[in-house]
Amino acid sequence: MDHWMRIGLSALVTGTVASLASTAALALLAKGEGKGALQPTNATSHWLHGDEGARHDELDVAHTAIGYGTHKASALFWALLFEAWLAARPPRSSFELLRNACAMSAIAAAVDYGATPKRFTPGWELVLSKRSLLATYGALALGLAGGAMLARGWINKD
């Protein structure tokens, strides 16, 4: 299989696992803070709906589908960068893979909340505490690592 095709397919698996893991973490953390489980995902639609999306706690296309789709696209972007990094410098152990996933998640957090205009941040800060944001990026790291391991088993078999 072509090198870039392998990276792209791996990123699809890795990004999907990372988006599901972080979305589950968002829902659990929101409930733990007394908020609605869908509020963080709906808040991600704030690039389109403004801060009103963070107050919305019902399942709908305008907020939930747009919010999750935006988050999934972001996770796929970070997974593509992560998979390209792994292809260039393959980790020698599961620990190195997890360390690299943590580094990629930290880079994502720094870009999301340090370099991105407020309108295009994930919007989770409108709903959750900083502690929960940190935990969410931890879940993203675990999702990147788990997805990469899964992709290696499915796609990278020779």
Side-chain angles (χ1 to χ4, degrees):
M1 181 183 306
D2 173 71
H3 174 74
W4 286 106
M5 176 67 80
R6 187 179 306 243
I7 288 172
L9 290 173
S10 294
L12 184 60
V13 172
T14 300
T16 298
V17 172
S19 70
L20 292 172
S22 53
T23 299
L26 287 167
L28 291 170
L29 292 162
K31 291 300 281 181
E33 291 188 11
K35 309 279 176 60
L38 293 175
Q39 277 183 265
T41 297
N42 290 343
T44 305
S45 72
H46 80 116
W47 65 268
L48 181 62
H49 300 294
D51 291 354
E52 179 272 329
R55 293 183 294 277
H56 194 78
D57 188 34
E58 296 175 13
L59 180 67
D60 67 7
V61 172
H63 297 90
T64 314
I66 296 295
Y68 181 73
T70 301
H71 175 55
K72 173 82 181 263
S74 173
L76 290 171
F77 170 78
W78 291 112
L80 183 61
L81 294 179
F82 184 57
E83 288 292 346
W85 177 8
L86 296 179
R89 296 180 186 270
R92 291 175 295 208
S93 68
S94 296
F95 174 79
E96 284 185 10
L97 177 67
L98 182 57
R99 180 201 63 202
N100 293 349
C102 288
M104 183 57 67
S105 183
I107 292 166
V111 170
D112 286 350
Y113 286 105
T116 302
K118 182 171 176 8
R119 184 75 179 218
F120 299 108
T121 65
W124 307 330
E125 75 283 3
L126 300 170
V127 178
L128 298 173
S129 67
K130 288 182 180 176
R131 175 183 244 163
S132 289
L133 294 179
L134 181 62
T136 299
Y137 281 98
L140 180 69
L142 291 174
L144 288 170
M149 285 191 259
L150 190 61
R152 290 209 168 17
W154 287 350
I155 296 163
N156 295 325
K157 287 183 179 178
D158 288 324

